[in-house]
């Protein structure tokens, strides 16, 4: 299946009342049965909560602050989305489609708390969850849906607000997601972070991640990570800002992926 043969936006299909792409729904069993290896780390987020930011921080930590190594590939190849099962050149490494090959998978695992529980009981080394407040998530998601031609058209802003509140957007309800992972966090090895905290004091929050990953680094490397993962630097980083994706799929002239970051 080539993208050219498939008009955008992607077909969607509900699963357990949650809107997903058809391919995600159809592949759900594979995702459900994904066997994490003990070294695998999961980064879980609701859409637009700072997934890419967390991925860059984790990659910099894993590579001891080596900026060049972190530019070896696009974010979505360095940390494939576990449930984004699209046979595109974009996600050659997507986990459910084959061996993951990286230590980290970024996954949303939309359908409800049962999934949260199942996933968090898996063999993961750990799960880093990043939450962002509903208002900024909503605004960011709206603009992202306008520029991301793979997603359903968000329609007028007022209608989109209602769709978001009702959870009738891809990956379902923001409320269920942040709440489901919050409830799971004390029962499993989950580091629950907030976008707003990361914004307020990246040093403090990155130190939490370091502790969670049982990793020791020098002050110099830590400062390098803070710098390299700042909004302004990431906005200019083609391996992190999604500008390598064809304009037919993501049109940054409508709204850049790295939009506001505030
Ligand atoms: P905005 O649209 O509000 O700017 P995700 O990676 O989950 O899709 O989230 C994307 C959101 O995170 C975007 O929000 C993007 O600008 C923001 N973001 C990405 N990297 C960031 C960084 N280093 N600092 C602050 N915000 C960042």
């Amino acid at each position: 299946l080539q993208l050219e043969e498939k008009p955008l936006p992607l077909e969607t299909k509900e699963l357990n009342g949650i809107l997903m792409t058809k391919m995600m729904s159809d592949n759900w069993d594979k995702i459900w049965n994904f066997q994490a290896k003990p070294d695998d780390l999961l980064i879980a987020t609701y859409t637009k909560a700072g997934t890419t930011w967390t991925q860059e921080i984790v990659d910099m930590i894993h590579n001891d602050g080596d900026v060049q190594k972190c530019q070896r590939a696009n974010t979505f190849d360095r940390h494939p989305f576990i449930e984004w099962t699209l046979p595109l050149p974009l996600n050659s490494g997507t986990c459910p489609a084959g061996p993951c090959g990286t230590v980290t998978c970024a996954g949303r695992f939309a359908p409800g708390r049962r999934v949260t529980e199942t996933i968090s009981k898996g063999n993961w080394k750990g799960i880093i969850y990043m939450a962002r407040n509903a208002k900024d998530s909503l605004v960011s998601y709206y603009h992202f849906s306008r520029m991301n031609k793979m997603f359903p058209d968000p329609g007028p802003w007022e209608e989109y607000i209602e769709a978001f509140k009702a959870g009738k957007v891809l990956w379902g309800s923001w409320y269920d997601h942040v709440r489901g992972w919050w409830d799971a966090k004390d029962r499993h090895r989950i580091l629950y972070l907030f976008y707003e905290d990361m914004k307020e004091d990246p040093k403090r929050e990155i130190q939490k991640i370091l502790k969670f990953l049982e990793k020791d680094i020098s002050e110099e490397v830590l400062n390098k990570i803070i710098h390299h993962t700042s909004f302004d630097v990431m906005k200019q980083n083609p391996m992190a800002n999604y500008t390598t994706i064809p304009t037919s799929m993501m049109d940054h002239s409508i709204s850049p992926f790295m939009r506001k970051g505030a």
Side-chain angles (χ1 to χ4, degrees), residues 47-53 108 132 140 195 199 229-231 234 257-261:
T47 331
K48 311 317 287 174
T51 325
T52 318
W53 194 5
R108 299 211 160 83
R132 188 182 191 185
S140 182
Y195 179 99
K199 209 61 221 173
T229 60
S230 67
F231 181 81
M234 276 181 62
F257 180 85
M258 298 286 293
R259 192 184 55 89
K260 206 159 163 236

Side-chain angles (χ1 to χ4, degrees), residues 4-259:
E4 290 74 39
E5 296 167 13
K6 198 90 182 135
L8 298 178
L10 299 169
E11 226 182 307
T12 58
K13 184 174 159 191
E14 281 198 5
L15 182 77
N16 304 331
I18 288 168
L19 192 67
M20 303 181 129
T21 65
K22 183 172 179 304
M23 275 188 228
M24 260 159 41
S25 276
D26 290 347
N27 266 309
W28 194 253
D29 281 350
K30 269 199 207 165
I31 300 164
W32 181 266
N33 291 319
F34 179 76
Q35 296 294 319
K37 295 187 286 316
D39 265 355
D40 288 343
L41 177 74
L42 178 72
I43 297 169
T45 54
Y46 186 75
T47 331
K48 311 317 287 174
T51 325
T52 318
W53 194 5
T54 315
Q55 287 168 312
E56 199 63 30
I57 292 169
V58 166
D59 203 34
M60 278 291 276
I61 292 174
H62 280 148
N63 288 293
D64 298 303
D66 188 328
V67 171
Q68 254 176 330
K69 271 195 195 157
C70 292
Q71 279 174 342
R72 69 195 178 282
N74 286 298
T75 306
F76 45 82
D77 278 327
R78 286 180 282 149
H79 298 153
F81 283 97
I82 195 164
E83 77 273 56
W84 188 255
T85 45
L86 249 187
L88 294 174
L90 291 181
N91 62 350
S92 46
T94 302
C95 307
C100 172
T102 68
V103 285
T104 309
C105 300
R108 299 211 160 83
F109 293 116
R113 295 196 194 157
R114 197 159 79 89
V115 174
T116 314
E117 285 302 307
T118 308
I119 294 304
S120 42
K121 274 185 207 133
N123 212 5
W124 302 98
K125 178 180 180 186
I127 297 171
I128 299 176
Y129 187 84
M130 169 87 95
R132 188 182 191 185
N133 76 81
K135 197 168 134 265
D136 290 335
S137 297
L138 160 66
V139 174
S140 182
Y141 206 170
Y142 172 70
H143 290 295
F144 186 55
S145 303
R146 291 195 306 124
M147 68 83 81
N148 184 347
K149 300 300 175 191
M150 294 175 276
F151 282 15
D153 187 302
W157 168 236
E158 278 75 17
E159 280 172 33
Y160 189 77
I161 299 174
E162 295 310 315
F164 181 89
K165 278 164 47 184
K168 295 292 169 206
V169 291
L170 275 182
W171 287 287
S173 159
W174 173 91
Y175 304 89
D176 287 350
H177 207 283
V178 295
R179 179 64 198 262
W181 285 97
W182 180 260
D183 290 346
K185 80 178 188 329
D186 298 324
R187 294 192 291 280
H188 309 287
R189 195 160 188 275
I190 297 170
L191 178 67
Y192 200 105
L193 300 174
F194 294 92
Y195 179 99
E196 295 74 21
D197 289 347
M198 187 62 84
K199 209 61 221 173
E200 182 187 84
D201 190 345
K203 188 171 192 171
R204 180 191 63 209
E205 298 305 305
I206 293 171
Q207 276 167 335
K208 284 187 195 167
I209 299 179
L210 285 163
K211 191 164 171 243
F212 186 72
L213 298 177
E214 295 164 337
K215 182 107 185 168
D216 234 351
I217 56 169
S218 67
E219 187 76 13
E220 192 197 335
V221 172
L222 178 56
N223 288 332
K224 222 165 141 186
I225 295 176
I226 295 168
H227 174 75
H228 180 77
T229 60
S230 67
F231 181 81
D232 292 339
V233 173
M234 276 181 62
K235 193 176 168 71
Q236 302 303 326
N237 177 359
M239 289 297 120
N241 65 14
Y242 281 82
T243 51
T244 58
I245 292 186
T247 316
S248 57
M249 298 168 76
M250 281 194 187
D251 189 344
H252 294 259
S253 72
I254 295 175
S255 177
F257 180 85
M258 298 286 293
R259 192 184 55 89

